[in-house]
């Protein structure tokens, strides 16, 4: 029957997807160590032997250091993406406040350096996968801090409320904003619209957020105008 074929095809696809994600995760792990060596030895060369290098050689060393840092970020982001949903993780009760405080303390020096103001009000407890939800908040908050005009102090406000069948959270920033034609596209893997050289980034963060939200039976979207900040909303279903 056609319906059986569809079920079978879907099962096969899910299996292939899982294999691919496992492959990505193993490959990314194995890439990390040699890359760390390149970065560390290049930094050592610069720190201890720069007097023996001319300005061109020093420029090449800097290129290699920057390149290995970018690649390391990409591997970490790929690993995050692959890890989400790759195993059955239990759903726990989550109190968002200590989770947010933890995110702030992990990024303490950046927050102080950029003069970030971050606040939240009346966040409800909800159910979800602790590690994935923390990554979701962290990605949205860090984007709000990153996508800013150079001299603007980032202001981030987080709200949340319980609805009949889900919880709804929003992370709002006062940054550079996103033109309407990119509002859907930015959630695809490797999708970026602002200059890599100016802002850094790999284009994986929001794709990972979308994957996390989907696992939680929810939806993620953005409201934003260029130059007027952005507000990312996501829902977490009560019935997953
Ligand atoms: P990246 O690693 O490049 O930050 P993301 O997947 O997190 O990747 O975001 C995709 C793109 O969406 C970014 O490159 C940026 O152009 C845009 N973007 C994401 N968050 C924001 C934000 N808060 N304000 C403005 N632009 C954003």
């Amino acid at each position: 029957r056609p319906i059986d074929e569809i079920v079978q095809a879907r099962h096969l696809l899910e299996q292939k997807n899982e294999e691919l994600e496992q492959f990505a995760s193993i490959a990314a792990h194995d890439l990390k160590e040699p890359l760390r060596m390149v970065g560390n030895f290049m930094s050592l060369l610069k720190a201890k032997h720069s007097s023996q290098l001319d300005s061109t050689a020093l420029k090449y060393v800097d290129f290699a250091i920057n390149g290995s840092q970018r690649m390391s970020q990409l591997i970490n982001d790929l690993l995050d993406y692959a890890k989400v949903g790759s195993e059955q993780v239990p759903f726990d009760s989550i109190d968002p406040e200590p989770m947010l405080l933890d995110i702030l303390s992990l990024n303490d020096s950046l927050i102080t350096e950029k003069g970030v103001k971050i606040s939240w009000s009346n966040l409800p407890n909800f159910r979800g996968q602790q590690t994935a939800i923390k990554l979701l908040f962290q990605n949205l908050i860090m984007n709000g801090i990153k996508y800013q005009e150079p001299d603007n102090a980032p202001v981030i406000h987080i709200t949340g409320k319980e609805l009949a069948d889900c919880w709804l959270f929003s992370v709002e920033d006062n940054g550079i904003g996103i033109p309407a034609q990119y509002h859907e596209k930015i959630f695809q893997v490797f999708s970026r619209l602002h200059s890599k050289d100016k802002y850094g980034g790999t284009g994986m963060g929001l794709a990972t957020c979308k994957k996390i939200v989907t696992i939680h039976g929810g939806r993620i979207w953005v409201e934003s105008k260029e130059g007027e900040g952005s507000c990312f909303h996501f829902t977490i279903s009560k019935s997953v």
Side-chain angles (χ1 to χ4, degrees):
R1 286 186 311 152
I3 189 89
D4 290 337
E5 278 170 28
I6 293 172
V7 171
Q8 223 173 3
R10 189 181 163 175
H11 182 69
L12 195 69
L13 254 176
E14 277 171 0
Q15 204 179 333
K16 289 280 163 219
N17 203 20
E18 214 170 286
E19 278 170 20
L20 194 67
E21 284 182 355
Q22 262 173 16
F23 167 77
S25 160
I26 292 167
H29 251 125
D30 288 354
L31 286 171
K32 267 180 127 168
E33 182 53 25
L35 189 63
R36 203 172 58 83
M37 282 178 70
V38 173
N40 285 354
F41 280 110
M42 281 293 156
S43 301
L44 208 59
L45 183 63
K46 191 176 167 183
K48 304 260 177 193
H49 303 281
S50 57
S51 58
Q52 291 157 259
L53 301 173
D54 64 23
S55 65
T56 312
L58 269 174
K59 204 166 72 188
Y60 293 164
V61 169
D62 280 336
F63 282 149
I65 293 173
N66 285 343
S68 64
Q69 278 167 353
R70 282 221 306 272
M71 180 118 144
S72 160
Q73 184 62 54
L74 180 60
I75 291 172
N76 286 337
D77 287 358
L78 278 173
L79 273 174
D80 279 345
Y81 184 79
K83 256 188 288 182
V84 168
S86 63
E87 50 192 53
Q88 291 289 331
V89 179
F91 279 50
D92 299 319
S93 170
I94 297 177
D95 179 353
E97 181 148 343
M99 184 177 266
L100 291 172
L101 288 172
D102 208 25
I103 294 172
L104 298 197
S105 78
L106 282 172
N107 298 286
D108 188 37
S109 52
L110 180 79
I111 287 174
T112 314
E113 178 202 322
K114 296 213 164 193
V116 179
K117 288 203 170 64
I118 180 156
S119 58
W120 52 81
S121 48
N122 300 326
L123 300 178
N125 285 10
F126 64 105
R127 285 188 69 74
Q129 298 178 346
Q130 289 271 2
T131 311
I133 294 287
K134 188 168 168 188
L135 185 61
L136 169 63
F137 273 117
Q138 157 131 337
N139 283 352
L140 295 178
I141 293 169
M142 295 320 281
N143 276 352
I145 296 174
K146 181 163 73 168
Y147 293 104
Q148 294 278 347
E149 291 298 348
D151 294 327
N152 204 32
V155 179
I156 312 282
H157 187 62
I158 304 163
T159 54
K161 61 181 166 191
E162 184 170 359
L163 302 174
D165 55 356
C166 66
W167 292 276
L168 168 67
F169 290 92
S170 308
V171 179
E172 187 173 9
D173 66 56
N174 62 336
I176 54 180
I178 303 164
Q181 69 267 33
Y182 298 111
H183 285 187
E184 301 219 351
K185 211 167 164 227
I186 49 171
F187 294 99
Q188 293 170 6
V189 278
F190 296 126
S191 160
R192 347 191 33 262
L193 62 125
H194 297 106
S195 145
K196 186 170 66 196
D197 297 333
K198 199 163 162 198
Y199 295 101
T202 61
M204 291 298 294
L206 289 178
T208 304
C209 290
K210 185 168 181 176
K211 205 170 163 200
I212 294 168
V213 168
T214 306
I215 287 167
H216 289 78
R219 214 162 70 73
I220 181 164
W221 69 100
V222 67
E223 270 180 275
S224 177
K225 273 193 192 146
E226 202 170 9
E228 290 184 20
S230 307
C231 189
F232 284 83
H233 307 280
F234 66 87
T235 58
I236 300 290
S237 169
K238 288 183 178 173
S239 52
V240 176

